[in-house]
Each structure stands twice: as structure tokens, then as C-alpha cells.
Amino acid sequence: MINAKIFRQVREFSKVFMLLTVTSFLFRSTLAVPGPTLDLDGLTKDSEVIVVGEVESLQNVRSTVIENQPASISAKVLNASIRVSGTLKGPSESEHLMIQFVEPENFIGWQSVPEHTYAMYFLKQNSGRPFSFTEPFHRFLNAVPGVTPLGTTAIGRVVNQLGGVIASPKTSTGQKQTAIFDLSRSSSPISTSVLRLSLQSSEQEVKLSAAGALLQRNDISALTIATDALLSNSGIISEVLRHNLCYGISEGVKDPKSVQDLRRLLASPDTQVRKAAASALRHTRADDALNPLATLLDDPDQEIRYYSVIGLAEITGQTDWRPNRDVFLASQQKYLTYWRNWARNR
């Protein structure tokens, strides 16, 4: 029976059943049930050893139980033999590593480890015993053979491997998008550099996935690409990508230099696109955002009108005319009239 502290995540998982939205770009392809969102920097830091290699064999050692009061979860203990092709962190120089881990009999969100999987494996050392995985929800990330472990830091070498997945002609679009999602979970400068390189991809889905990730971190190098895609009438952009781009603009973009592209988005017939642009204009705190925000006072969408009002109030410092949402809904005409008059007389 296993009752170790490392399995406390199961209890939290059963209570919360983590809410992940489409704004996370794509769920990791190996997870059919949401789990804790990947923290790539934290996972890399917490891992004592990170290797790239292939699972050569799996051996069922014994049955066990994961304590998850008030219920218990049936599980099995497995040994995985990994043929190592590169070490990204830690002292391991062995060509083969043995990893022992627990696999629940019924799927609860923990990442399974299929035989012959070539990937990056995140490990903890155990004195005199096989290695263990750093954490159960993200045991490995995608990798491709032949990528040299370059970089002066562990996170740099991990990011470089994900860049190899994106650049490889042998990986699918879905695998590239998953690698972009993984990169988006790192705040390191090198992850930003690799995401920028991904904007050059010939695959539209890959390029726009990278754009959404960059916009979330207020990197507007991707804004023109995103704007052109959102205003395109060709129908080539999926609803998921459209949502991700809008989320990145709405919640990530704050750079005053973004105003010109954001102004273009206000011409979109799509309410979601205009709403994202209005939110970003507010976040820029730029004087150049005042005129485009004022044009939204007459937008047919109520929430966009609200963004217009609070954006104008925040940028101009007129806090008395910045209502909360409930006050605005109750006295909408009062605030719209004030700001329309202000815009005409400025």
C-alpha cells in the first residue's frame, strides 16, 4: 500500500478536477482528463535528472493501492527501462536508466508511459533504487531524435528540444502545437525566442499557435500576424485558434505600440475580436488608445461599451467616471452620455 506525500495531488485532483479552458491552446495530447497545468520552469527546476531517450521495455512489478481518502485507488507498480540518447540535466551518464513508477488502474489524469515512447523524461534520484518521475501529471514531454542538447542552462536545453519538435519535418501539426503549448508554460527568454522562430512556420496552425502564446506574454511581434488572420475572410482559422488569439490579445497585450493593429481589429464584424481589442486598448494605458476607445461607446455589444467606458476613465484618470459592472448596467446611459460629450469636446 502506498501512502506517500507525492500522491497528495490525487486528492486535490479529485476535489477540484482542474478547470482548463480553451485558452490553454491545446490540452497535452497524452491527457484525456484535465490535470494541473504544466509549469515547465518549475518542473525543470524540481527535476534532478532530465534525459532524452526511448522506453525500451515495461515490466509489471506488483499491484498496489494509492491512498485517496475516503476511497483508495487500485494501481500497479511498473519498471521502465529507458535507452538514453542525451542528458539535459543531472549526473546521469548511463546509456540505460531504470525508472519505477505507479500507474493507476483507472485513468485519473496521470501521464501514462507507453513502450517505445521517445521523449524528455523528468526524474528524481533515489539512493540505491530506480529513478522515479518528478511528478505524475507531466512525466515526459515530446522530443525527436537527433536534436543536440544545446544550451547553457537546463531550461535552455529543454526548450531547445521542444524547438526541435516544432522544426522537425517528421512531426505532426498536433505535436508541434503541443510543443508550443509546453513552451508557453515557461517564462524564460529562450522560450520566447523559440516561439518567435515558430512564427516563420509554413503551417498556418503552428504559426498562429505561436502567435497566441507570444501575445499572452505581451510580445507584440506576433500582433500583425494575428490581426491579419482574425480579419481574414478566407475561413482558414479554426474557432480554437481564433479564441486563443483573442484571449492572448485581450489578456496579454499591454504595449502602447500595439494601438495601430488594435485599431484595425475594431472593424471586425466578430464581437469576440472587437471585445479583445477593446480590452487590450484599455490595458495599454496609452493616450493613442483614447480615440479608438471612444468609437466603441456606440458599439452594439454591451460589454464592449463597458470596456470603452472604463478604459477611457482609467487612461484619463477620471476615477469618478469608472463604474463597476453592476453600476454601469444600472446607469449605462449616464456614463455613455458623459464620455460621448467628453470625446466631442476633448
Side-chain angles (χ1 to χ4, degrees):
M1 180 176 293
I2 293 179
N3 192 17
K5 290 183 179 179
I6 62 171
F7 296 132
R8 286 181 178 172
Q9 294 177 75
V10 181
R11 186 174 295 109
E12 294 306 311
F13 178 84
S14 64
K15 291 179 180 177
V16 181
F17 206 68
M18 292 294 293
L19 175 63
L20 293 182
T21 67
V22 186
T23 58
S24 292
F25 306 105
L26 295 169
F27 294 133
R28 291 200 44 73
S29 58
T30 50
L31 293 181
V33 176
T37 302
L38 172 67
D39 173 4
L40 185 56
D41 297 326
L43 180 62
T44 300
K45 180 181 178 181
D46 293 343
S47 298
E48 296 169 341
V49 173
I50 305 173
V51 298
V52 182
E54 180 182 353
V55 175
E56 290 189 311
S57 64
L58 288 172
Q59 178 185 4
N60 194 336
V61 178
R62 65 180 185 275
S63 297
T64 189
V65 172
I66 301 170
E67 287 296 338
N68 184 38
Q69 299 299 331
S72 297
I73 299 172
S74 298
K76 54 190 175 184
V77 177
L78 298 172
N79 282 344
S81 175
I82 294 183
R83 179 174 53 81
V84 177
S85 61
T87 300
L88 308 183
K89 181 182 179 181
S92 174
E93 300 296 335
S94 173
E95 292 185 0
H96 290 83
L97 293 181
M98 184 66 70
I99 303 170
Q100 189 166 99
F101 63 100
V102 174
E103 184 93 345
E105 293 288 356
N106 295 315
F107 186 65
I108 60 171
W110 290 12
Q111 193 177 31
S112 61
V113 185
E115 200 169 7
H116 305 303
T117 300
Y118 188 92
M120 284 183 282
Y121 294 92
F122 295 80
L123 309 172
K124 291 280 193 180
Q125 291 180 299
N126 300 293
S127 179
R129 294 184 293 139
F131 288 86
S132 59
F133 288 112
T134 304
E135 60 108 323
F137 288 98
H138 305 102
R139 289 166 166 165
F140 65 86
L141 301 181
N142 290 343
V144 291
V147 178
T148 305
L150 298 176
T152 58
T153 62
I155 188 61
R157 291 186 283 273
V158 168
V159 166
N160 181 63
Q161 292 292 319
L162 292 171
V165 173
I166 298 168
S168 174
K170 297 181 180 180
T171 54
S172 67
T173 298
Q175 288 172 318
K176 296 178 197 293
Q177 289 178 295
T178 298
I180 286 170
F181 170 75
D182 294 339
L183 284 172
S184 78
R185 308 315 302 167
S186 167
S187 60
S188 64
I190 190 170
S191 67
T192 300
S193 297
V194 174
L195 287 170
R196 286 176 178 173
L197 285 174
S198 302
L199 294 176
Q200 301 173 20
S201 173
S202 59
E203 298 180 58
Q204 181 82 343
E205 296 91 339
V206 175
K207 179 189 299 186
L208 295 181
S209 294
L214 286 165
L215 292 170
Q216 273 202 329
R217 57 184 68 188
N218 193 28
D219 186 319
I220 64 170
S221 63
L223 185 54
T224 299
I225 290 172
T227 300
D228 290 343
L230 290 170
L231 294 177
S232 172
N233 294 321
S234 63
I236 58 174
I237 178 171
S238 70
E239 284 304 310
V240 170
L241 284 173
R242 176 177 291 273
H243 181 94
N244 293 337
L245 291 175
C246 287
Y247 182 83
I249 292 168
S250 174
E251 300 304 315
V253 173
K254 299 174 177 65
D255 192 328
K257 296 177 183 177
S258 66
V259 170
Q260 183 175 350
D261 275 315
L262 296 174
R263 186 194 292 265
R264 289 177 57 204
L265 290 173
L266 299 183
S268 173
D270 188 330
T271 300
Q272 182 185 17
V273 172
R274 297 197 312 280
K275 191 179 299 182
S279 177
L281 284 166
R282 168 200 172 196
H283 292 148
T284 66
R285 305 286 177 151
D287 287 344
D288 288 346
L290 292 172
N291 284 341
L293 279 171
T295 67
L296 297 176
L297 292 168
D298 297 312
D299 193 275
D301 183 81
Q302 179 172 266
E303 189 167 5
I304 293 174
R305 295 195 297 273
Y306 177 64
Y307 285 165
S308 172
V309 165
I310 62 174
L312 291 168
E314 289 170 356
I315 295 172
T316 62
Q318 300 184 60
T319 56
D320 289 344
W321 289 95
R322 190 223 177 275
N324 64 35
R325 192 179 301 273
D326 290 341
V327 170
F328 176 75
L329 293 178
S331 307
Q332 183 173 168
Q333 200 56 47
K334 167 186 170 182
Y335 290 97
L336 292 175
T337 298
Y338 174 84
W339 285 110
R340 285 170 184 149
N341 289 335
W342 177 90
R344 282 195 296 268
N345 296 325
R346 68 182 295 246

